[in-house]
């Protein structure tokens, strides 16, 4: 079988995607958690893992993990709020994989580096993991990995269309929400998504001068 690249499952170089990473705990029980995956090139990915999570511990111990590409809201929610039961997984060559996904990638860690990252809540210790895709399996002809950029553009457009209907106080709140979406798009969006939010902000500045 031809080796698939990350692009073949919709992962574009330089973009960050929200995925569900599955790993094995040291007692053999499956673990899953939503984790952002940065596509570095054709076969390499980078994860920024907060220290202290089960996923962090498992990846450091086993030097391997599975990236599950899904848009299933319940899977994202249930794997965040608690632990998914074994019924959600199947196993291949010792790797736990979510049964319900559009595609999955079995990855091996090639590099790890510790990092202190400043964020809105202070500073957190992270481990930056670089990993290589060993196996990429597509379950759909067309895979749509989840990127927050397009969601932020759509939210911005909805806030924009409400500006005309809103009173002055609500307008300020809507504008702040659009600026927050812009901050997100600058972080995780594509060039087209960045341009889209800039167009929205430019239009606001031309039509609602009191908001500047
Ligand atoms: C959409 C989404 C993306 C996330 N991305 C990351 C990430 O990139 N790195 C990280 O360390 N945690 C990330 N988290 C937080 C972890 O999923 C969360 O801490 C989880 O509870 C860890 O579970 P675990 O202890 O079973 O590994 C993300 C959460 C969500 C909802």
């Amino acid at each position: 079988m031809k080796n698939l690249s990350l692009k073949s499952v919709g992962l574009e170089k330089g973009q960050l995607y929200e995925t569900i990473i599955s790993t094995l705990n040291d007692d053999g029980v499956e673990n899953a958690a939503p984790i952002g995956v940065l596509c570095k090139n054709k076969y390499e990915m980078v994860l920024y893992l907060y220290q202290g999570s089960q996923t962090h511990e498992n990846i450091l111990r086993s030097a391997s993990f599975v990236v599950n590409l899904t848009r299933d809201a319940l899977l994202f929610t249930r794997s965040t709020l608690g632990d998914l039961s074994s019924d959600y997984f199947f196993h291949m060559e010792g790797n736990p994989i979510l049964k319900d996904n559009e595609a999955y990638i079995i990855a091996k860690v090639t590099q790890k580096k510790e990092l202190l990252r400043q964020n809105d809540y202070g500073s957190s210790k992270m481990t930056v993991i670089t990993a290589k895709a060993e196996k990429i399996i597509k379950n759909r002809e067309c895979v749509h990995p989840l990127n927050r950029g397009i969601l932020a553009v759509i939210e911005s457009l909805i806030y924009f269309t409400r500006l005309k209907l809103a009173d002055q106080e609500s307008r300020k709140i809507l504008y702040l929400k659009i600026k927050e979406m812009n901050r997100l798009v600058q972080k995780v969006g594509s060039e087209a998504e960045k341009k889209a939010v800039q167009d929205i902000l430019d239009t606001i500045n031309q039509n609602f001068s009191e908001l500047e």
Side-chain angles (χ1 to χ4, degrees):
M1 192 184 67
K2 186 163 84 63
N3 262 355
L4 295 179
S5 66
L6 294 175
K7 197 175 166 61
S8 71
V9 287
L11 300 175
E12 299 284 342
K13 185 178 163 183
Q15 294 285 291
L16 181 73
Y17 297 92
E18 307 306 330
T19 75
I20 299 183
I21 300 271
S22 48
T23 52
L24 279 183
N25 297 340
D26 60 358
D27 58 2
V29 172
E30 305 88 351
N31 187 71
I35 301 286
V37 170
L38 178 68
C39 175
K40 191 175 174 201
N41 55 40
K42 244 176 137 183
Y43 299 108
E44 284 187 298
M45 295 158 284
V46 178
L47 314 184
Y48 291 82
L49 293 177
Y50 289 105
Q51 296 186 2
S53 73
Q54 194 61 53
T55 302
H56 180 268
E57 184 185 317
N58 292 349
I59 292 181
L60 257 62
R61 188 185 58 255
S62 67
S64 68
F65 58 91
V66 179
V67 179
N68 297 274
L69 301 180
T70 173
R71 302 176 74 88
D72 187 316
L74 278 178
L75 278 180
F76 272 100
T77 304
R78 290 179 179 163
S79 62
T80 303
L81 302 182
D83 291 328
L84 297 181
S85 74
S86 286
D87 295 343
Y88 282 89
F89 302 88
F90 70 97
H91 289 254
M92 201 184 65
E93 296 163 11
N95 300 289
I97 297 159
L98 286 179
K99 284 178 185 166
D100 193 5
N101 61 37
E102 295 186 18
Y104 62 88
I105 303 159
I106 298 176
K108 298 277 177 249
V109 176
T110 53
Q111 269 181 56
K112 52 190 181 198
K113 199 171 83 184
E114 298 222 336
L115 181 81
L116 198 63
R117 185 185 255 189
Q118 300 291 335
N119 54 33
D120 295 344
Y121 323 106
S123 63
S124 318
K125 271 196 184 168
M126 306 195 87
T127 305
V128 186
I129 300 283
T130 305
K132 191 161 184 294
E134 295 274 307
K135 196 168 255 177
I136 301 176
I137 305 289
K138 260 172 104 162
N139 293 323
R140 305 260 167 88
E141 186 56 42
C142 213
V143 181
H144 295 104
L146 194 60
N147 174 276
R148 293 164 79 198
I150 181 66
L151 306 179
V153 171
I154 297 298
E155 287 303 308
S156 302
L157 287 169
I158 289 171
Y159 298 142
F160 174 80
T161 57
R162 288 182 186 158
L163 277 177
K164 271 187 263 171
L165 313 170
D167 61 29
Q168 212 172 353
E169 225 16 66
S170 311
R171 264 187 198 167
K172 280 189 197 151
I173 295 168
L174 289 166
Y175 185 50
L176 285 178
K177 287 184 175 180
I178 294 172
K179 290 218 295 197
E180 182 54 30
M181 291 297 110
N182 182 42
R183 202 169 74 96
L184 176 60
V185 167
Q186 296 306 322
K187 209 169 101 185
V188 303
S190 65
E191 287 313 308
E193 287 154 357
K194 287 177 190 169
K195 186 162 177 355
V197 181
Q198 192 54 54
D199 283 359
I200 297 169
L201 288 171
D202 289 347
T203 307
I204 292 172
N205 291 338
Q206 284 157 17
N207 293 280
F208 301 93
S209 51
E210 77 274 13
L211 290 174
E212 287 200 58

